[in-house]
C-alpha cells in the first residue's frame, strides 16, 4: 500500500500563488511517475501535471507556463507551484501515483481562487 498526503491548499485571490505538497509513504519502492489531478464541481477529474523519478515533466495546456511540478526523491515528496492563479483553477487537487498496476490517490486538498 501507498499513502499519499497532500497539504498546502487554501483560498487565494486571482493572480496569487499557492504551493501544494504531497508526501508518499508505505510501499513506495518502484514508484516512477507522480502527479497532480484536479476536480472542479460538476466536472470530471483532469490531469494537471506529472513528473517522473528522473525529472521529466508534462503539463495540461491550461496550466503550462503557470504551474511547475517538482520532486524531492529523498523525501518522497512531489510539489506543484501554482502561480498566476485564475478562478477556473478552483478545484480539489489530488496527488496521484501509479505503482505495479494500482493507482493511488491522496485525500485531496481544496484550492479556491477568488476573482
Amino acid at each position: 500500500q501507498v499513502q499519499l498526503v497532500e497539504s498546502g491548499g487554501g483560498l487565494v485571490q486571482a493572480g496569487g500563488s499557492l504551493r501544494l505538497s504531497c508526501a508518499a509513504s508505505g510501499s513506495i519502492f518502484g514508484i516512477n511517475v507522480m502527479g497532480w489531478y484536479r476536480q472542479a464541481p460538476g466536472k470530471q477529474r483532469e490531469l494537471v501535471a506529472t513528473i517522473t523519478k528522473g525529472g521529466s515533466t508534462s503539463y495540461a495546456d491550461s496550466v503550462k507556463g503557470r504551474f511547475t511540478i517538482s520532486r524531492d526523491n529523498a523525501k518522497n515528496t512531489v510539489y506543484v507551484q501554482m502561480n498566476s492563479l485564475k478562478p477556473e483553477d478552483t478545484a480539489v487537487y489530488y496527488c496521484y501515483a501509479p505503482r505495479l498496476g494500482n493507482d493511488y490517490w491522496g485525500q485531496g486538498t481544496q484550492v479556491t481562487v477568488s476573482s
Side-chain angles (χ1 to χ4, degrees), residues 63-76:
V63 307
K64 279 181 182 176
R66 300 188 298 121
F67 290 13
T68 302
I69 190 169
S70 60
R71 183 168 175 168
D72 186 332
N73 291 325
K75 295 182 178 179
N76 301 311

Side-chain angles (χ1 to χ4, degrees), residues 41-103:
K43 295 188 177 181
Q44 288 189 329
R45 193 172 294 190
E46 63 175 1
L47 177 67
V48 174
T50 62
I51 185 167
T52 68
K53 199 167 186 177
S56 296
T57 60
S58 65
Y59 297 91
D61 287 343
S62 59
V63 307
K64 279 181 182 176
R66 300 188 298 121
F67 290 13
T68 302
I69 190 169
S70 60
R71 183 168 175 168
D72 186 332
N73 291 325
K75 295 182 178 179
N76 301 311
T77 300
V78 64
Y79 308 93
V80 61
Q81 177 67 41
M82 306 185 295
N83 298 328
S84 302
L85 283 161
K86 305 175 181 180
E88 51 263 44
D89 294 317
T90 294
V92 178
Y93 284 70
Y94 296 92
C95 183
Y96 163 75
R99 179 183 179 271
L100 300 180
N102 296 311
D103 292 337

